[in-house]
């Protein structure tokens, strides 16, 4: 590809980020009366639910802080980040320091800290906020949360665990994946001698358990030895978006480590979920699939989700950037085309979150219980940065 | 309507039950090697997951026993019921007597007894089985489980409760509804002086909390005083199928009690969820709705589910039988037409479970984690019985 092509795409991602996405959240999401963020937003930004979820509070703090660290501190971004930090410091933590899953608008806790990902997102949020705000305490908090996560990680739901102890043990990809996410974000804050072994351990878990080279498939849940439980749905579950998100985290870390062999390997692997997950009839990537083609236990399996496509775009653009393979550029173009045609809503800003299989929005919502200021702006940011580098070098 | 019309519909329901539904489950569902039932069945009956869920084991025992009590004991039905009873007696209960939520094929427990509905379905299962098998112990077990449910009902999830104690308290319709279901089934087993007050209490909860006459709406989750929390999705959630299922339980009980005023009242009320829930564009009833028309937190909200339609058919046929109102007969016809056109699969038997909004099956499955031998055969059975009575009296 030539310089002009990269520059043209770079302009698209940059404009989408700064004209259609960031303004939408700054305008509709900030709860200037009671603190924190509204994240349940209709097509036009109308708040349709005032509850506050720790995942989404943490992710929005992180993203706002990230904009400051990547594009220079702007008062409105930093103030908005502080709005979330103050709210979560005042209301977000249970007595033992773990983060509640949900609070009401005023910050009264609703749901116990059964979900360790709340802590993971708040950890990276405080790390990034500390970096750009000069708030040293935030860095200390982030480090303490990170270390507490490493203690809790093998029993993350604690007393709220519904699995019977000693029952069959399927290992889910979510934990090693969030470890890679945190590892990328906490470079420089967590000492390398502490972070290095965690990265190595989680690379091992991913490549030895979840990647099956014989079957050419990335599995969500596997036996501890990497074997499969194919008699039951949960052993056959595939989640193309999850696999691709994890793959680009790993590719980025491999590149940082100078491991071009691993970069090339990951570029091979990412073709499996993309090819298997693509809907040949209507376009777009499925949300869930069954390895053997049976039904999954998720009614929404055939729907097309914004984050799946955002993460897939990241994976293929990064792979092209680091390997130059034409096939990966073509996947990037296919995903880009589908996403900007179906998800993007320039009338009101932001992307639709949930399309039916045919590609029509099921709801108009721009923010929900699981959709906040995170996947999409992160994609737009990293892609515009990568494309800028690619344009410069071409 | 005339005798011939009732008799014609009666034949349809009877044939569907005995030619297309009961044989499907007897052929594909029985695990004659390890006991209990397979319930995760593909379009043609292929078992695609061997795990065993207490809800579905209990429901299948109940339905098989009910066939015996309603149509006379047949060896194959009673043997099949015993297969489930033996399995659940051997494997189903935790040390404290509560039922595990899920087991593997061999009966090893997978999921803790966090879900009291497992116990509710096993209670009615053992009550019906005891009645038709002469197994006195089953009746004792059912009664003991029933009494234990009455103790657990205000804290049904026990240690697995994720809600923060003292947090805002929305009352869900599921518990009063399952109480009505059990009350209908346990007449004769639970002493009337014990059952009567429970029925009265739960009728009160339903009419005073969940029915809003001013807004003409049945709400899933309300404040203890019947007020609403409209700032958040959960306070606005509507579930037409749930409302209609509960309404026919209540109508049946009201009829038993000789309360024709309540029967007429319920006939009025059931028009609200039906009218609001009907998809004018594609037909069928939505799964979930938001009272204010905002998105719900359920991605599958617009899908058309078999059980919603089965329960709606029951509600309107019973209402017509007990009130003679033409509007209710027309609703019965509309629901019948939609269901037999879209869900029924005479090629392989049983009904599809999950259609997209447009009415196409999303999966081919006939049995799943939440779809067993229960809603559909119960509908076919009660409707063929009601239609037979109607034909006789016409």
């Amino acid at each position: 590809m030539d310089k002009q092509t990269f520059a043209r795409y770079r302009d698209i991602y940059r404009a989408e980020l700064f004209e259609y996405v960031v303004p939408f959240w700054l305008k509709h999401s900030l709860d200037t009366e009671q603190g924190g963020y509204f994240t349940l937003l209709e097509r036009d930004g109308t708040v349709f639910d005032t509850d506050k979820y720790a995942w989404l509070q943490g992710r929005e703090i992180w993203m706002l802080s990230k904009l400051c660290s990547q594009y220079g501190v702007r008062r409105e971004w930093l103030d908005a980040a502080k709005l979330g930090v103050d709210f979560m410091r005042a209301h977000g933590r249970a007595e033992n320091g773990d983060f509640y899953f949900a609070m009401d608008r005023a910050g009264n806790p609703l749901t116990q800290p059964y979900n360790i990902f709340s802590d993971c997102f708040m950890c990276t949020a405080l790390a990034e906020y500390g970096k750009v705000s000069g708030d040293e305490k935030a860095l200390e908090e982030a480090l303490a949360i990170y270390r507490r996560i490493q203690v809790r990680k093998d029993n993350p739901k604690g007393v709220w665990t519904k699995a019977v102890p000693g029952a069959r043990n399927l290992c889910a990809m979510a934990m090693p994946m969030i470890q890679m996410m945190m590892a990328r974000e906490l470079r420089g804050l967590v000492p390398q001698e502490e972070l290095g072994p965690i990265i190595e351990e989680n690379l091992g878990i991913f490549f030895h358990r979840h990647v099956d080279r014989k079957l050419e498939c990335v599995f969500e849940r596997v036996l501890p030895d990497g074997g499969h439980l194919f008699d039951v749905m949960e052993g056959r579950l595939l989640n193309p978006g999850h696999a691709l998100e994890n793959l680009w985290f790993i590719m980025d870390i491999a590149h940082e480590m100078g491991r071009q062999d691993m970069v090339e390997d990951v570029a091979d692997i990412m073709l499996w979920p993309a090819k298997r997950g693509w809907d040949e009839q209507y376009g777009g990537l499925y949300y869930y699939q069954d390895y053997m083609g049976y039904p999954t236990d998720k009614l929404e399996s055939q729907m097309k989700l914004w984050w799946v496509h955002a993460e897939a775009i990241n994976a293929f653009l990064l792979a092209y950037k680091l390997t130059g393979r034409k096939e990966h550029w073509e996947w990037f173009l296919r995903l880009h085309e589908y996403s900007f045609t179906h998800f993007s809503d320039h009338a009101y800003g932001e992307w639709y979150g949930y399309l039916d299989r045919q590609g029509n929005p099921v709801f108009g919502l721009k923010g929900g219980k699981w959709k906040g200021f995170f996947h999409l702006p992160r994609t737009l940011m990293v892609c515009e940065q990568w494309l800028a580098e690619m344009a410069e070098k071409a």
Side-chain angles (χ1 to χ4, degrees), chain A:
Chain A
M1 279 341 102
D2 58 17
K3 192 183 275 289
Q4 283 70 31
T5 304
F6 296 140
R8 187 161 57 80
Y9 278 101
R10 189 250 175 141
D11 290 346
I12 293 172
Y13 281 80
R14 195 177 172 94
E16 194 80 1
L17 178 62
F18 290 114
E19 290 170 34
Y20 297 105
V21 175
V22 173
F24 182 90
W25 291 88
L26 287 176
K27 183 166 178 195
H28 302 294
S29 169
L30 311 183
D31 186 355
T32 49
E33 287 173 33
Q34 303 198 28
Y37 313 117
F38 299 121
T39 64
L40 295 108
L41 305 173
E42 258 285 40
R43 183 182 176 198
D44 63 359
T46 303
V47 176
F48 68 92
D49 186 319
T50 55
D51 283 345
K52 288 165 183 167
Y53 294 90
W55 279 37
L56 302 193
Q57 301 295 310
R59 286 167 158 195
E60 187 155 344
I61 295 167
W62 174 82
M63 190 69 227
L64 288 161
S65 304
K66 198 77 182 178
L67 289 174
C68 292
S69 74
Q70 300 300 299
Y71 298 100
V73 174
R74 286 194 207 165
R75 197 72 252 165
E76 60 173 349
W77 297 343
L78 194 62
D79 287 349
K82 187 168 182 296
L83 191 70
V85 170
D86 290 346
F87 181 85
M88 290 303 284
R89 278 178 175 159
H91 307 292
R93 301 177 91 155
E95 256 177 50
N96 71 352
D98 296 341
F99 284 89
Y100 291 115
F101 181 73
M103 291 138 283
D104 68 12
R105 184 181 174 186
N108 299 303
L110 295 175
T111 314
Q112 298 281 16
Y114 78 94
N115 189 305
I116 199 170
F117 300 115
S118 307
D119 305 77
C120 298
F121 292 117
M122 281 305 302
C123 170
T124 52
L126 289 163
E128 199 68 23
Y129 178 74
K131 229 190 280 181
V132 296
S133 65
D135 179 339
E136 293 282 335
K137 191 169 144 250
L139 298 175
E140 286 163 30
E141 289 168 316
L143 195 54
I145 295 167
Y146 183 73
R147 287 173 176 156
R148 167 94 178 128
I149 289 167
Q150 302 310 321
V151 172
R152 284 174 72 194
K153 76 176 164 50
D154 294 324
N155 181 23
K157 294 191 184 174
V159 297
W160 295 283
T161 305
K162 290 186 201 158
V164 171
R168 88 180 166 217
N169 183 16
L170 283 172
C171 309
M173 195 168 68
M175 186 54 73
M177 175 173 158
I178 204 104
Q179 290 275 19
M180 300 315 286
M181 184 280 278
M182 288 192 291
R184 282 185 73 242
E185 292 301 322
L186 300 177
R187 291 178 279 212
L189 177 65
V190 177
Q192 188 51 37
E193 63 272 22
E194 196 176 332
L195 201 58
I198 295 175
I199 291 175
E200 287 299 338
E201 184 192 356
N202 285 286
L203 286 173
I205 290 173
F206 180 73
F207 285 109
H208 296 122
R209 282 187 186 162
H210 296 279
V211 171
D212 188 319
R213 292 175 191 276
K214 208 170 125 227
L215 302 179
E216 299 201 337
C217 200
V218 180
F219 287 92
E220 275 293 297
R221 304 195 192 108
V222 288
L223 293 165
D225 65 358
H228 301 292
L229 203 62
F230 279 162
D231 284 346
V232 295
M233 286 185 288
E234 59 172 343
R236 301 190 302 258
L237 189 72
L238 308 179
N239 183 330
H242 223 203
L244 290 164
E245 183 175 2
N246 204 359
L247 285 162
W248 81 259
F249 291 162
I250 290 171
M251 181 176 270
D252 185 55
I253 284 173
H255 176 65
E256 279 272 325
M257 292 162 77
R259 292 281 308 273
Q260 186 63 21
D261 59 323
M262 197 187 286
V263 169
E264 298 284 344
D265 186 29
V266 170
D268 287 337
I269 293 170
M270 73 173 60
L271 292 167
W272 308 338
K275 286 178 182 172
R276 185 188 287 265
W278 188 257
D279 180 349
E280 291 295 340
Q281 194 173 351
Y282 295 104
L285 290 168
Y286 291 117
Y287 185 13
Y288 290 104
Q289 294 178 292
D290 180 279
Y291 173 67
M292 290 179 171
Y294 287 121
T296 73
D297 64 335
K298 324 277 185 195
L299 298 185
E300 62 273 28
S301 292
Q302 299 185 355
M303 289 172 66
K304 311 291 164 64
L305 271 67
W306 92 103
W307 73 261
V308 171
H309 293 77
E311 299 305 335
I313 285 172
N314 294 345
F316 282 98
L317 186 61
L318 183 60
Y320 177 71
K321 179 172 182 278
L322 299 181
T323 71
R325 295 199 214 170
K326 189 161 162 281
E327 189 173 6
H328 291 69
W329 177 254
E330 284 162 2
W331 268 106
F332 164 72
L333 289 184
R334 183 175 301 130
L335 291 157
H336 170 91
E337 198 54 45
Y338 182 88
S339 300
F340 279 76
T341 308
H342 291 83
F343 290 109
S344 178
D345 176 25
H346 283 192
Y348 291 94
E350 250 288 329
W351 283 15
Y352 295 114
Y354 304 98
L355 314 180
D356 64 16
R357 187 180 167 196
Q358 289 75 21
N360 308 303
V362 168
F363 303 125
L365 70 78
K366 299 294 175 49
K369 197 169 163 180
W370 305 100
K371 181 176 194 288
F373 185 57
F374 182 65
H375 286 284
L376 174 59
R378 182 175 70 182
T379 285
L380 299 173
M381 177 188 76
V382 300
C383 287
E384 88 89 14
Q385 293 176 335
W386 293 337
L387 286 158
E389 283 179 55
M390 289 155 75
E392 196 164 316
K393 283 189 194 153

